[in-house]
Amino acid sequence: MKFLTQFYYEKIWTQINEKEVLRLIGDEFPEVPAQETYNYVEQECKKGKTIAIGECRFKAFLQEIKAEG
């Protein structure tokens, strides 16, 4: 699954992959398990939601949602 991410101070969304999402989650909250948090983010993004973790937000890349749905 591909994601879009945006830090609170940015105006544009940037496309990232699963590996980068895991890295960002680990950077934001090193004390929580990144893989479990990623699983939550992925589940919610598949539903079309935007998830905020620390200073960054994640949402699913829309073209993938349309292709799966």
Side-chain angles (χ1 to χ4, degrees), residues 26-49:
D27 289 349
E28 289 293 315
F29 293 103
E31 66 278 357
V32 299
Q35 184 62 50
E36 291 178 24
T37 306
Y38 169 80
N39 292 341
Y40 170 75
V41 169
E42 182 180 38
Q43 292 289 328
E44 295 303 310
C45 287
K46 282 182 179 179
K47 297 176 187 175
K49 295 182 179 181

Side-chain angles (χ1 to χ4, degrees), residues 58-69:
F58 301 99
K59 66 181 180 179
F61 187 57
L62 293 178
Q63 288 180 344
E64 286 208 6
I65 291 175
K66 291 178 183 176
E68 291 174 5

